[in-house]
Amino acid sequence: MPSSLLTSLLFLLSISSSLAQTYNILSYGAKPDGRTDSTKALTAVWAKACASVQPVTILVPKGRFLIGSIVFDGTRCKRKSVTVRIQGTLVAPSDYRVIGKSSHWIFFEHLDRLSIYGGVLDAQGASLWSCKKSGKSCPSGATSIGFQSSTNVLISGLTSLNSQMFHVAINGCNNVKLDGVKVSADGNSPNTDGIHVQSSTTVSILNSKISTGDDCVSIGPGTNGLWIENVACGPGHGISIGSLGKESVEEGVQNVTVKTATFTGTENGVRIKSWARPSNGFAKNIRFQHCVMNNVQNPIIIDQKYCPGNDNCPNQVSGIKISDVMFFDIHGTSATEVGVKFDCSSKKPCTGIRIQDVKLTYRNKPAVADCSHAGGTESGFQRPNNCL
């Protein structure tokens, strides 16, 4: 490249960099005391960022900022790309009723090239959990942070604490990367899925630690191209595909890889579950590999008789077709005698199941396998009974 052209490019880059604007929420009235409502300040900052034609960064500095439910909608933004840098903590109102009837506490939609770096989200959900456990009439609760109808999303180094419902939800998005995410809630907190993905393509969850009261990662209908790697799960209900088949007409789940995951004291390890009722959905091309189980109740499980509360499904059979699922190099300890359980649909049996190098023990002996309506191959599978 001629030196004159290189000089011109560097000059243009320097101009572009100098044109980038940073909006500090302190300048719009936010208070870092954890008591003053800063929702209006964030709303004002978003309006400014949306109106800008230049690259924009929204800065949340150190401190605790109290905010209510807020939506960041990029529909009318001049630029769909925004960077959010959180150095402090966003905290929800202590009264769960303030945001409890909202679907989300913090919600991003209709954006392209959205990046969120760092920060802590503290939803203060414990009081709502207590309400639900008491049997009283309570709101469902808000998902702490959600992303919808967006592309090229990066979430890096974010921590979510004590969500009312789900911690992070990805819905209808394309090309999403979550890296270094931390999720923390009590192991008995209800419906607090760590990261939920549905109706989305090309999503990766990397280098993350999830401790919660429900699924560490839940994978819903319409997920295609999900890569999960180097994730620690526990406490929680494991990494679950499903539940699928709640609707009779439903998108399938395909091309999912879970690699190098560790499960400690969880209810499940790797799981596929579907409602016991008719559906046209499916789950195919699934890979679970290089996973470690530490005292997990159900290390490997396919459950096609899922019917919580016997709601609309007793005496029915799942219509979800499960095929081409591989379990490779999964080892460790089971908290129950059955380490591998395949309870597949009698109407649409599981096919193409592959088990390779699976070694699970229960009380220092090989855990048993319990399989029905499942077909496939196995090798290096240490267990005292036949399965496939």
Side-chain angles (χ1 to χ4, degrees):
M1 179 183 292
S3 59
S4 58
L5 180 57
L6 178 60
T7 301
S8 298
L9 284 172
L10 291 173
F11 176 70
L12 289 172
L13 286 171
S14 67
I15 291 176
S16 176
S17 178
S18 66
L19 290 175
Q21 294 186 343
T22 297
Y23 296 99
N24 188 324
I25 65 171
L26 291 177
S27 301
Y28 293 82
K31 302 294 183 185
D33 58 13
R35 298 184 305 273
T36 305
D37 190 342
S38 296
T39 310
K40 288 184 178 180
L42 260 177
T43 301
V45 166
W46 183 252
K48 281 284 187 180
C50 246
S52 177
V53 296
Q54 300 168 357
V56 168
T57 296
I58 295 173
L59 176 64
V60 179
K62 292 181 179 179
R64 289 176 65 83
F65 297 89
L66 175 67
I67 64 166
S69 297
I70 188 167
V71 176
F72 300 102
D73 186 351
T75 303
R76 297 182 179 179
C77 290
K78 292 183 178 179
R79 287 178 62 94
K80 304 293 185 183
S81 59
V82 177
T83 298
V84 181
R85 294 189 179 275
I86 308 173
Q87 298 171 349
T89 298
L90 298 177
V91 58
S94 57
D95 182 350
Y96 63 78
R97 293 170 296 184
V98 177
I99 67 168
K101 291 184 179 180
S102 301
S103 60
H104 297 80
W105 174 29
I106 301 166
F107 190 55
F108 292 88
E109 62 180 342
H110 305 298
L111 292 161
D112 184 15
R113 298 190 301 279
L114 168 67
S115 301
I116 299 177
Y117 295 97
V120 177
L121 308 179
D122 184 358
Q124 301 200 99
S127 58
L128 178 57
W129 311 336
S130 297
C131 178
K132 290 181 177 181
K133 291 174 186 176
S134 72
K136 297 177 183 176
S137 177
C138 317
S140 297
T143 291
S144 285
I145 187 167
F147 303 85
Q148 185 166 304
S149 304
S150 296
T151 58
N152 303 312
V153 177
L154 171 64
I155 306 158
S156 177
L158 181 70
T159 296
S160 175
L161 305 177
N162 301 322
S163 61
Q164 290 189 347
M165 276 278 286
F166 295 178
H167 288 264
V168 181
I170 310 295
N171 184 19
C173 295
N174 177 52
N175 194 23
V176 179
K177 180 180 180 181
L178 300 98
D179 193 356
V181 171
K182 294 181 180 179
V183 166
S184 180
D186 188 88
N188 293 317
S189 56
N191 307 117
T192 53
D193 291 25
I195 300 171
H196 177 72
V197 181
Q198 72 175 45
S199 302
S200 297
T201 58
T202 317
V203 178
S204 59
I205 302 170
L206 312 172
N207 311 312
S208 296
K209 179 175 175 55
I210 304 171
S211 306
T212 193
D214 211 298
D215 294 331
C216 290
V217 180
S218 56
I219 303 159
T223 300
N224 184 357
L226 172 62
W227 186 279
I228 301 171
E229 184 173 0
N230 193 26
V231 169
C233 170
H237 292 183
I239 294 178
S240 297
I241 296 176
S243 53
L244 305 178
K246 188 172 184 179
E247 307 298 333
S248 60
V249 178
E250 186 178 273
E251 291 184 285
V253 172
Q254 57 191 319
N255 305 318
V256 174
T257 296
V258 177
K259 180 180 180 182
T260 320
T262 302
F263 302 83
T264 303
T266 52
E267 185 174 294
N268 307 289
V270 292
R271 172 170 64 161
I272 303 174
K273 62 175 179 175
S274 69
W275 286 77
R277 56 193 192 202
S279 177
N280 71 332
F282 61 86
K284 66 180 182 181
N285 193 22
I286 315 296
R287 302 288 179 266
F288 300 110
Q289 56 194 50
H290 311 308
C291 297
V292 177
M293 306 290 170
N294 297 315
N295 197 38
V296 174
Q297 292 181 41
N298 303 292
I300 297 174
I301 180 168
I302 297 176
D303 176 12
Q304 293 204 258
K305 293 182 179 178
Y306 183 69
C307 187
N310 289 326
D311 179 21
N312 240 357
C313 44
N315 304 316
Q316 297 191 65
V317 177
S318 176
I320 296 293
K321 176 60 180 177
I322 297 175
S323 63
D324 191 15
V325 183
M326 182 178 76
F327 302 91
F328 172 65
D329 184 26
I330 298 176
H331 60 275
T333 55
S334 174
T336 60
E337 186 178 5
V338 178
V340 176
K341 184 177 180 65
F342 296 147
D343 196 355
C344 296
S345 170
S346 59
K347 182 179 180 180
K348 293 186 178 179
C350 300
T351 57
I353 306 297
R354 289 188 289 162
I355 304 176
Q356 183 176 345
D357 297 332
V358 170
K359 297 177 175 63
L360 297 166
T361 62
Y362 170 66
R363 295 182 176 176
N364 299 315
K365 294 181 180 179
V368 303
D370 181 2
C371 307
S372 60
H373 308 295
T377 61
E378 57 181 72
S379 64
F381 182 17
Q382 186 183 82
R383 82 277 181 255
N385 62 316
N386 292 326
C387 183
L388 300 176

